[in-house]
Structure formats: structure tokens, C-alpha cells
Amino acid sequence: MKLYIDDLPVSEQIASDGALRDALQHIQAEHCKPGRMVVGFRCNGEAVAAETMSNVLEQAAASFEKIEVFTSTRETLVVEAMTQASVSLDQTDTASKEIASLIVENKVPEAVENLGDCLRVWQQIHEAVVKSLTILELDPKALMIQDRSLLELIGQPRDVLTQGRDALQSHDHVLLADILRYEFAEVIQSWQSVVARLRQEAEERTSA
């Protein structure tokens, strides 16, 4: 088996009876410099799909002819994640206004379907923020943004989504459209402040 770490060949042989998961943990412990972490890998030149990740990790590492491991600093990982989160927030801002227009045009089924896609993106952004906080070892209660704690800002979408759910269940489509146009816009602006603050924190640590 050939092993590469950040495109550089590694002569060390992985135990033939060890799972790929164990091999990656070994690489993290023995080959990653302080501050760096394993962020991805390819097996036999192929990216591993999310739905098969668990099964692949349990396979014997030596069963693959080639394993490519990629590492990065924790700070770089956060910068990249928050940059993508900012782009996604801009996209959901546009999407929420388009959904509101569909509701006004009485195209409710299409609007609800698109709203589901929008909510899934919100969930991904939320997960990225939480993971970034963990990586940077930041306390969301102590970190203040515009006189509000980051913890409070993280919870803000939940309140707006609850309002939207209630409006949808009561068939108050006018209210739902207003929430999407105005309440969502405020939340998105707040969350842009969150991701910008986390990105700034990571960049400052990188340049320190």
C-alpha cells in the first residue's frame, strides 16, 4: 500500500490488520505537527462519499493500494468553513425572498419545498459554526458581537423558524411571507457578523 500525506510519499507501512480509522488516528498522532489535523482522504484515488464513509473507515487500511491523506491547520479549516458559510448565507438571503414571492403568488407547495432546501442549508451553517467554536476553543457565552453573546445570536434563527412554522401551520401566508422577507434578513445579517467574527479570530491566530 502506498501512503501519501499532503501529496508527499510516506515510507511507513500501515498495520495490515488495522482499520482505516485507526490508521488515520495514527497519522494524526505521529505525522501531524502541532496545530495541524487530518481533514480529508482519498482511497485508490477516489473521494469517499459521505454515505459510505463509516463503512470505508472500518475496512482494513492495507486493503487499499493507495491512501492519500490531507491535513490543514485548525485555523485554516475555520477560515475556509466560515468563508463558505458567508456565501451560503448570501444565497439563503436571496432564496428566502424568492420563497416569499412564491407565497404571494399563491405557489405555496413550491415555496414549501424550496423552504425545506433553505432550512437544510441553515442547518449546515449552524453545524459549521458549532464545529468552528469547538476547534477554536471559544466560549459562545463569553464571546460578544455587537453587545450580544454569540450564544444568543446562534439561537436567533430558532425563534424566527418557530414563527415561520406557526404561520405555515395556521395558513397565514401573508405573515409567513413577511417573516421570510424581513425577519430572515435580520437573522442573516446577525449570522454574517458571527461567521465574520469567527473567521477574524482564526485569521488573527494564523498571523500571530
Side-chain angles (χ1 to χ4, degrees), residues 149-164:
S149 74
L150 190 143
L151 182 63
E152 180 183 353
L153 292 175
I154 289 178
Q156 191 178 7
R158 185 184 303 110
D159 300 332
V160 175
L161 293 175
T162 299
Q163 296 175 34

Side-chain angles (χ1 to χ4, degrees), residues 44-189:
N44 296 336
E46 299 290 338
V48 180
E51 57 270 21
T52 62
M53 180 73 70
S54 296
N55 290 334
V56 172
L57 287 172
E58 297 307 322
Q59 294 182 37
S63 66
F64 301 101
E65 294 182 3
K66 181 181 181 181
I67 297 176
E68 299 167 275
V69 178
F70 304 98
T71 72
S72 180
T73 65
R74 302 175 190 276
E75 291 78 13
T76 298
L77 197 62
V78 171
V79 170
E80 293 174 350
M82 292 301 95
T83 299
Q84 180 56 53
S86 180
V87 173
S88 298
L89 282 169
D90 284 339
Q91 293 173 341
T92 58
D93 187 24
T94 300
S96 62
K97 291 179 172 60
E98 292 175 348
I99 294 167
S101 297
L102 289 173
I103 293 173
V104 171
E105 296 168 7
N106 204 30
K107 299 178 180 178
V108 178
E110 183 179 352
V112 171
E113 181 179 355
N114 291 349
L115 181 58
D117 294 335
C118 195
L119 295 180
R120 281 187 285 275
V121 174
W122 268 99
Q123 181 62 33
Q124 292 171 358
I125 296 171
H126 181 271
E127 291 174 357
V129 167
V130 171
K131 288 179 180 178
S132 295
L133 284 168
T134 301
I135 289 173
L136 297 176
E137 298 180 340
L138 293 173
D139 182 357
K141 296 179 182 178
L143 188 62
M144 303 300 293
I145 301 175
Q146 299 174 353
D147 298 325
R148 302 172 69 183
S149 74
L150 190 143
L151 182 63
E152 180 183 353
L153 292 175
I154 289 178
Q156 191 178 7
R158 185 184 303 110
D159 300 332
V160 175
L161 293 175
T162 299
Q163 296 175 34
R165 181 200 62 196
D166 293 344
L168 184 62
Q169 290 178 345
S170 62
H171 302 288
D172 191 342
H173 297 152
V174 174
L175 176 58
L176 179 57
D178 285 344
I179 290 172
L180 289 169
R181 280 174 171 161
Y182 307 115
E183 301 291 336
F184 257 63
E186 182 180 345
V187 171
I188 289 170
Q189 184 177 4

